[in-house]
Short mmCIF file of all heavy atoms in Angstrom, two decimals:
data_model
loop_
_atom_site.label_atom_id
_atom_site.label_comp_id
_atom_site.label_asym_id
_atom_site.label_seq_id
_atom_site.Cartn_x
_atom_site.Cartn_y
_atom_site.Cartn_z
N SER A 228 7.46 23.16 -106.67
CA SER A 228 7.41 22.08 -107.82
C SER A 228 7.19 20.66 -107.21
O SER A 228 7.25 19.75 -107.94
CB SER A 228 8.72 22.06 -108.58
OG SER A 228 9.73 21.77 -107.71
N LEU A 431 -14.67 6.08 -115.54
CA LEU A 431 -13.99 6.95 -114.74
C LEU A 431 -13.58 6.28 -113.28
O LEU A 431 -12.47 6.47 -112.89
CB LEU A 431 -14.82 8.26 -114.36
CG LEU A 431 -14.94 9.11 -115.60
CD1 LEU A 431 -15.83 10.35 -115.22
CD2 LEU A 431 -13.67 9.57 -116.14
N GLN A 475 2.51 13.80 -102.06
CA GLN A 475 3.89 14.07 -102.58
C GLN A 475 4.80 12.86 -102.49
O GLN A 475 5.56 12.34 -103.39
CB GLN A 475 4.50 15.26 -101.84
CG GLN A 475 5.98 15.51 -102.18
CD GLN A 475 6.24 15.65 -103.64
OE1 GLN A 475 5.43 15.80 -104.40
NE2 GLN A 475 7.66 15.40 -103.94
#
Side-chain angles (χ1 to χ4, degrees):
S228 61
L431 290 181
Q475 168 59 18

